[in-house]
Amino acid sequence: MLLTRKRRVPASSLAPETVQPAKSFAHAPPLTTSPIATDRASASVIPRRVWRGTTWLVLGRVYGSLCTMAVLWVLAHRLEAAAFGRYTFYLAVFVLLDSLADFGTGQVAVQRSARDEDSVPEVLAATRRIRFAMGTLGVVLVGGGAVVFREPGSGWILLASLYPVTHVFELSNTVFRTRIALGVPVIMRAVASTLVVAFVMLLVALGDREPAHMLCATAAGSAIANVVLYMVAHAHLPKRAATHAPIALMFFAALPLGIASLCQQAYFYVDNLFVRAWCGASELGAYNIAVRGLSFMIMGALFLTQAAMPWLVREHREGRLGQATVKLGQPLFAIAGFGTGLLVPWSAQILRLFGPHFDTASGSFRWLLGATAAIHAGAALMTALVAAGMMRSVLVIAASALGVNVLANLVLVPTHGIDGAAAATLATEAFVAVGAAFALGRAGISVMGGSRAWGWLGGPVGFALAVWLSSLVARA
């Protein structure tokens, strides 16, 4: 996914920063190996493969984020403020396209394959058809909508909107994800990031200043990587053909996740509509740089929980999901709280790296730092809901969060501008984390009971302590 979700998003995305890390092709485990078989002796401990997979994902994300930051830095200096704002707006819209094309099929494919590897051909046959249908719908909605509403560069936007259809090919990486052997997908995402940088820099060198052209360059790099990923993964897939394609079964299994994912992306990016309408494209560009900083900082939460998903599914089967979620989520929240707190006094200086006028978003960035910490808690808790198969709860929380975000933006953006949009994000992410903990508790999966509750204070306490310490340094 483009402007990476502020939170739990599908692994693929248009923007280069969503690139995921990898080992070499030669290290992909054989298909006959049972997932995490070597970790069964210590089932209650987070398997080494989870940490190893997360490390690769984070390294790849860092590379992808550096590529994205390089693109944004160049375009921030080469495009007019309004044109740069439109470019970031298009990226936000395309994140929704990514979620629509995925529509929960990625997570369902991993969940079903982790339970039964023999079902891989049937799972892929069904989920690929679902992705093709949803990707085509996205072309009609976004590409067609750009033409109907006469957006600047509408023809190029229509062309770029074809990119999410290539997520059909990306589904082949399921065979690697179920084994938490993420080398091949990561390398392909790194290739995508590199291609995007090359294509955008070529346009800039040729004197192009049209943001829709830059969007096409971004889409082209990611589309090529998806096709190559399919070609590489094909050798690791079962040789037999699918006997049938259980499309209806897989669609209804993915439906709650698909709607929830759309809601999650919508409540993250709907503020673009409010900011563009009330504050203009120039302010939107500055605000989205702050959002990009958030996207960079949540990579640990996104990829650790993504890598831990098969493990959490097995822990739930053994009746230890609450304990596993606490073990995963509380340290993650505490580290995120302290790390983001350190940056609060330096928000203006960080944003000025993109240009002197970008520090107008420093107030927004401070709110988003708080949201970043909340996302780390929410990511672990929401992933636990998915591992437990509580898809209805995931959907209810995501839909409710979208309502909270829209209402907060309606109230705060007209009066507080981009700072109000960022505050709405913090409120929404806190709502998600609390809602997920409540849903788990109602299902008898305790993550807050007894002494466990105190561990969650590590996030806010660490944040406050880090702000104080960093402020002392800033004043020195």
Side-chain angles (χ1 to χ4, degrees):
M1 347 203 167
L2 277 141
L3 277 175
T4 299
R5 308 172 168 134
K6 280 175 186 172
R7 48 180 293 91
R8 317 140 294 271
V9 301
S12 67
S13 141
L14 180 57
E17 83 166 12
T18 58
V19 169
Q20 305 172 16
K23 308 175 193 172
S24 75
F25 300 160
H27 290 96
L31 191 61
T32 55
T33 301
S34 178
I36 320 183
T38 57
D39 296 308
R40 291 197 181 279
S42 54
S44 62
V45 178
I46 299 176
R48 287 191 300 269
R49 191 171 294 198
V50 169
W51 295 113
R52 190 162 56 242
T54 302
T55 300
W56 282 108
L57 287 171
V58 170
L59 289 174
R61 177 64 176 274
V62 169
Y63 176 77
S65 293
L66 291 175
C67 290
T68 297
M69 290 299 183
V71 168
L72 292 176
W73 187 87
V74 170
L75 295 183
H77 288 83
R78 297 302 180 93
L79 299 182
E80 294 181 356
F84 181 75
R86 288 201 307 274
Y87 174 70
T88 62
F89 177 79
Y90 297 150
L91 291 181
V93 171
F94 269 71
V95 171
L96 292 176
L97 269 186
D98 281 322
S99 291
L100 181 63
D102 177 87
F103 206 67
T105 54
Q107 291 189 62
V108 168
V110 171
Q111 187 183 57
R112 296 302 175 99
S113 300
R115 293 175 184 171
D116 179 14
E117 288 190 6
D118 292 336
S119 67
V120 168
E122 287 70 29
V123 168
L124 291 183
T127 51
R128 282 171 178 161
R129 295 182 189 183
I130 295 169
R131 279 200 178 185
F132 180 79
M134 301 309 292
T136 302
L137 176 61
V139 175
V140 174
L141 293 176
V142 175
V147 173
V148 170
F149 290 103
R150 298 181 179 179
E151 277 285 306
S154 58
W156 292 101
I157 296 172
L158 174 60
L159 179 61
S161 69
L162 295 171
Y163 147 76
V165 178
T166 66
H167 286 318
V168 171
F169 300 106
E170 184 203 27
L171 264 172
S172 296
N173 74 5
T174 299
V175 70
F176 302 115
R177 291 178 63 195
T178 54
R179 286 161 187 75
I180 318 181
L182 303 172
V184 173
V186 167
I187 288 177
M188 291 303 102
R189 294 301 117 210
V191 168
S193 290
T194 304
L195 289 174
V196 169
V197 172
F199 292 162
V200 170
M201 295 307 174
L202 177 61
L203 291 178
V204 170
L206 294 173
D208 196 325
R209 298 296 183 266
E210 170 54 53
H213 294 172
M214 307 302 173
L215 184 69
C216 275
T218 304
S222 295
I224 292 171
N226 280 341
V227 174
V228 176
L229 173 60
Y230 167 78
M231 297 170 64
V232 173
H234 184 73
H236 298 274
L237 294 172
K239 302 306 178 186
R240 71 175 182 87
T243 57
H244 64 289
I247 297 174
L249 176 66
M250 297 301 294
F251 178 78
F252 286 109
L255 184 61
L257 282 173
I259 296 175
S261 178
L262 284 172
C263 289
Q264 288 168 352
Q265 294 296 359
Y267 73 62
F268 185 67
Y269 291 111
V270 72
D271 52 10
N272 272 252
L273 297 174
F274 291 95
V275 172
R276 188 178 183 184
W278 267 281
C279 307
S282 298
E283 284 286 290
L284 178 61
Y287 175 69
N288 276 332
I289 287 296
V291 170
R292 183 63 67 171
L294 178 150
S295 297
F296 179 80
M297 289 182 289
I298 64 173
M299 61 186 176
L302 292 177
F303 290 128
L304 177 58
T305 54
Q306 174 187 321
M309 167 72 118
W311 171 64
L312 290 175
V313 170
R314 284 181 278 272
E315 288 297 283
H316 175 59
R317 190 181 303 143
E318 300 297 327
R320 297 189 294 259
L321 181 58
Q323 178 184 355
T325 303
V326 168
K327 189 175 296 185
L328 181 70
Q330 287 185 349
L332 195 63
F333 187 33
I335 292 169
F338 189 82
T340 53
L342 290 175
L343 300 178
V344 168
W346 310 94
S347 57
Q349 291 90 327
I350 293 171
L351 294 174
R352 282 195 204 108
L353 295 174
F354 291 86
H357 71 282
F358 282 94
D359 64 0
T360 58
S362 59
S364 301
F365 191 41
R366 287 190 286 271
W367 284 106
L368 292 174
L369 288 170
T372 299
I375 286 169
H376 281 73
L381 295 166
M382 289 290 283
T383 302
L385 287 177
V386 175
M390 298 172 62
M391 305 310 180
R392 177 176 292 184
S393 295
V394 172
L395 176 56
V396 169
I397 292 169
S400 300
L402 176 57
V404 168
N405 189 262
V406 169
L407 180 60
N409 274 287
L410 278 171
V411 172
L412 296 175
V413 173
T415 56
H416 294 84
I418 58 177
D419 288 355
T425 296
L426 172 57
T428 303
E429 296 299 348
F431 173 85
V432 167
V434 172
F438 179 75
L440 287 167
R442 287 195 62 183
I445 302 170
S446 176
V447 294
M448 297 292 292
S451 59
R452 292 180 178 178
W454 293 102
W456 294 106
L457 292 177
V461 170
F463 185 86
L465 177 62
V467 170
W468 177 66
L469 292 174
S470 190
S471 297
L472 293 179
V473 175
R475 290 196 298 265

